[in-house]
Amino acid sequence: MEGTDPVNKKLTAALSGGAVLVAALTGCSSSGGGDKGPDPKLVAWAKTVCDPLPAQQAKISGAFDALAKVAKDGPPKDVQKTDSQAFQDLADGFKARATTLSGAGAPPGVDDGAGKQQDAVKKLTALSAAYVDLKKRVDGLDTKDQTKFASGLGDLSDRMKTVAAQYDGVITSLQNLEKGDVNAAVTKQSGCTKASASPSPAKS
């Protein structure tokens, strides 16, 4: 087992260290909107975006927790199985988020709302695809050869640098979408409030 555990810990650190915060996913920050409150149409849009969030966030957080736990020890087959499932859950979670935002459409009454919404959907979809790719890569690792397995995890960790950059792009895009009245609207939604109260992805 020597050589595998440190590499897998490095992989998990790359994954969980750059995890998207609930606030970035939802716009559930503490800053408020205007005194008049957000437009009712925007509040309705926010409800569409926020209602599915707790389940999506639970899947994403659960995946990061699984990656953190398997990094501690375990035979290659167990590491592969857990990592594979976690990558699939992350792919599904971010794809669901993209689908929700796509279905909600542009936030009404927001300057360049359509452009901001479409950019967020595009980046979330790309992030989901990146996790699908990671799943394929980990599924292809040779668990019978310890040296090859450790080397494969090292390559996977290097690949995560690209995924981390995509993560940053998602955060920036969502924060851009969440500004002003959009933020005021989503903070009124119980789905966003519940997600904000849920545990954050484990840090390595």
Side-chain angles (χ1 to χ4, degrees), residues 12 15-23 25 57-68 90 94 167 195 198-204:
T12 305
L15 283 166
S16 59
V20 175
L21 300 176
V22 175
L25 281 169
Q57 181 62 24
K59 182 179 283 290
I60 291 168
S61 295
F64 280 116
D65 288 343
L67 287 168
L90 287 166
F94 288 114
Y167 244 129
S198 67
S200 299
K203 302 270 183 167
S204 177

Side-chain angles (χ1 to χ4, degrees), residues 31-104:
S31 59
D35 294 334
K36 295 180 180 180
D39 187 306
K41 291 182 180 179
L42 187 56
V43 172
W45 177 89
K47 178 175 174 59
T48 300
V49 171
C50 289
D51 280 357
L53 185 70
Q56 295 166 357
Q57 181 62 24
K59 182 179 283 290
I60 291 168
S61 295
F64 280 116
D65 288 343
L67 287 168
K69 290 177 182 177
V70 77
K72 296 176 182 177
D73 52 37
K77 286 186 178 180
D78 289 349
V79 173
Q80 182 186 55
K81 181 179 179 181
T82 302
D83 283 1
S84 178
Q85 184 60 57
F87 288 143
Q88 183 63 63
D89 287 344
L90 287 166
D92 291 345
F94 288 114
K95 179 65 175 179
R97 195 76 198 124
T99 300
T100 296
L101 279 176
S102 179

Side-chain angles (χ1 to χ4, degrees), residues 1-202:
M1 296 300 297
E2 186 177 356
T4 302
D5 186 46
V7 173
N8 206 38
K9 283 184 177 180
K10 181 180 178 183
L11 169 63
T12 305
L15 283 166
S16 59
V20 175
L21 300 176
V22 175
L25 281 169
T26 66
C28 296
S29 62
S30 59
S31 59
D35 294 334
K36 295 180 180 180
D39 187 306
K41 291 182 180 179
L42 187 56
V43 172
W45 177 89
K47 178 175 174 59
T48 300
V49 171
C50 289
D51 280 357
L53 185 70
Q56 295 166 357
Q57 181 62 24
K59 182 179 283 290
I60 291 168
S61 295
F64 280 116
D65 288 343
L67 287 168
K69 290 177 182 177
V70 77
K72 296 176 182 177
D73 52 37
K77 286 186 178 180
D78 289 349
V79 173
Q80 182 186 55
K81 181 179 179 181
T82 302
D83 283 1
S84 178
Q85 184 60 57
F87 288 143
Q88 183 63 63
D89 287 344
L90 287 166
D92 291 345
F94 288 114
K95 179 65 175 179
R97 195 76 198 124
T99 300
T100 296
L101 279 176
S102 179
V110 175
D111 290 341
D112 194 27
K116 294 175 181 178
Q117 175 251 357
Q118 290 168 12
D119 184 64
V121 169
K122 179 180 178 181
K123 286 183 169 61
L124 282 163
T125 301
L127 183 59
S128 173
Y131 281 117
V132 171
D133 176 66
L134 286 172
K135 172 180 164 54
K136 291 179 180 178
R137 289 170 184 257
V138 78
D139 286 345
L141 295 181
D142 186 351
T143 58
K144 295 180 180 180
D145 187 312
Q146 186 63 57
T147 301
K148 289 182 179 179
F149 185 72
S151 177
L153 285 180
D155 292 341
L156 206 63
S157 181
D158 289 339
R159 170 62 180 160
M160 280 308 305
K161 294 177 182 179
T162 301
V163 179
Q166 289 181 262
Y167 244 129
D168 291 341
V170 167
I171 293 174
T172 299
S173 182
L174 288 169
Q175 288 176 337
N176 191 39
L177 176 64
E178 294 154 8
K179 293 178 180 178
D181 288 342
V182 174
N183 177 71
V186 297
T187 55
K188 294 179 177 293
Q189 303 304 314
S190 60
C192 285
T193 302
K194 290 177 182 177
S196 293
S198 67
S200 299

